[in-house]
């Protein structure tokens, strides 16, 4: 059962444009939603994360928008740069003592120079 | 602080063999989780260890097992390897809950190829 659905699968944007990646979750027990960035040959690295009590969080060019009622959250990358070209994963976790990230299927972002 | 380290980085095995992968977490982190990454199934949770105890387990067969040592280092073992076990195996460490962050920090992974 896929509990976190991510779209689009791939995304091509021009340098300076806005990249938008969307995720939807099913389990309302999730209460921690991180986004990870992965370059080829590397492990995923945390970009930004949000909790359901906040509707938006911004860190530099990266913004998470969160819609609790719709069970959706999205990543916006402003002023996209060629160096942002990577695979992006949304994820979800519980607040319980044990940790278990449930990942979306990933979005391969290409930023054209 | 040094990041999460995983050894070996690359491994080639044949069907039926077993393999052991190692992970050293960030200093002070007591939680270690393992994930399998494949093109078809994406990133899937295998199990999590905390203070030498398995706290959580994903939906994988019993051929996949792990353990954690008193210094928080962890190993995962896959017995009777199958072709479908070819994947990137990622280890992630995190501090205990309440330490100010829920971030899981990933290592570079071990690329396992089963022939």
């Amino acid at each position: 059962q896929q509990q976190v659905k991510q779209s689009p699968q791939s995304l091509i944007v021009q340098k300076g444009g806005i990249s938008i990646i969307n995720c939807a979750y099913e389990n309302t027990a999730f209460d921690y939603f991180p986004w990870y960035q992965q370059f080829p040959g590397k492990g995923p690295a945390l970009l930004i994360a949000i909790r359901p009590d906040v509707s938006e969080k911004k860190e530099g060019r990266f913004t998470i928008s969160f819609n609790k009622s719709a069970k959706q959250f999205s990543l916006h990358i402003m002023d996209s740069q060629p160096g942002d070209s990577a695979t992006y994963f949304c994820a979800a976790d519980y607040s319980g003592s044990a940790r278990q990230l449930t990942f979306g299927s990933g979005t391969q972002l290409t930023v054209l120079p | 602080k040094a990041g999460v380290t995983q050894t070996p980085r690359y491994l080639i095995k044949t069907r039926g063999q077993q393999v052991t992968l190692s992970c050293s977490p960030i200093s002070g982190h007591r939680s270690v989780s393992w994930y399998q990454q494949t093109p078809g199934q994406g990133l899937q949770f295998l199990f999590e260890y905390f203070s030498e105890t398995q706290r959580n387990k994903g939906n994988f067969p019993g051929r996949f097992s792990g353990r954690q040592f008193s210094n928080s280092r962890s190993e995962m073992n896959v017995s009777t390897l199958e072709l479908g076990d070819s994947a990137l195996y990622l280890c992630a460490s995190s501090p205990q809950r309440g330490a100010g962050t829920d971030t899981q920090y990933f290592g570079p992974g071990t690329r396992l190829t089963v022939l």
Side-chain angles (χ1 to χ4, degrees):
Chain A
Q1 180 186 5
Q2 185 183 9
Q3 296 191 50
V4 179
K5 294 184 179 180
Q6 184 172 345
S7 63
Q9 187 175 357
S10 63
L11 182 61
I12 300 174
V13 300
Q14 295 286 338
K15 177 182 176 182
I18 302 174
S19 304
I20 302 174
I21 305 171
N22 301 299
C23 283
Y25 63 98
E26 299 169 3
N27 192 336
T28 55
F30 288 140
D31 61 359
Y32 174 68
F33 302 89
W35 283 89
Y36 282 85
Q37 178 189 56
Q38 186 177 30
F39 292 103
K42 304 286 188 182
L46 179 74
L47 258 182
I48 186 172
I50 198 168
R51 293 198 178 276
D53 54 346
V54 177
S55 61
E56 185 174 282
K57 183 175 181 181
K58 183 177 180 180
E59 290 185 2
R61 297 184 294 109
F62 302 93
T63 300
I64 299 180
S65 296
F66 189 86
N67 186 329
K68 187 175 181 179
S69 61
K71 294 187 288 185
Q72 295 175 347
F73 58 111
S74 60
L75 175 70
H76 291 62
I77 305 174
M78 312 300 288
D79 187 26
S80 299
Q81 299 296 312
D84 296 331
S85 297
T87 301
Y88 293 80
F89 293 93
C90 62
D93 196 1
Y94 311 90
S95 278
S97 58
R99 298 183 185 277
Q100 179 178 343
L101 284 170
T102 300
F103 283 90
S105 54
T107 296
Q108 189 163 354
L109 172 66
T110 302
V111 182
L112 301 176
Chain B
K1 282 185 180 180
V4 177
T5 58
Q6 292 187 245
T7 56
R9 291 293 313 277
Y10 303 91
L11 208 49
I12 299 175
K13 293 286 188 179
T14 57
R15 278 184 301 173
Q17 288 186 310
Q18 76 166 20
V19 65
T20 299
L21 313 181
S22 181
C23 171
S24 292
I26 292 171
S27 178
H29 286 188
R30 294 166 62 188
S31 169
V32 175
S33 300
W34 289 89
Y35 294 83
Q36 181 196 63
Q37 185 174 23
T38 60
Q41 298 299 316
L43 279 152
Q44 293 187 287
F45 171 78
L46 280 157
F47 29 67
E48 186 224 6
Y49 286 86
F50 181 85
S51 292
E52 302 178 66
T53 300
Q54 186 181 89
R55 278 201 303 201
N56 209 356
K57 189 178 192 311
N59 188 26
F60 278 82
R63 300 185 297 106
F64 292 82
S65 63
R67 60 177 176 169
Q68 186 180 34
F69 303 94
S70 58
N71 62 358
S72 294
R73 191 177 68 85
S74 177
E75 290 181 346
M76 70 161 282
N77 184 78
V78 187
S79 62
T80 319
L81 284 166
E82 301 177 358
L83 294 178
D85 297 333
S86 294
L88 180 67
Y89 289 89
L90 292 158
C91 168
S93 78
S94 49
Q96 63 190 68
R97 297 282 189 188
T101 178
D102 285 318
T103 300
Q104 291 194 36
Y105 297 87
F106 283 83
T110 294
R111 172 73 63 185
L112 172 65
T113 301
V114 182
L115 302 177

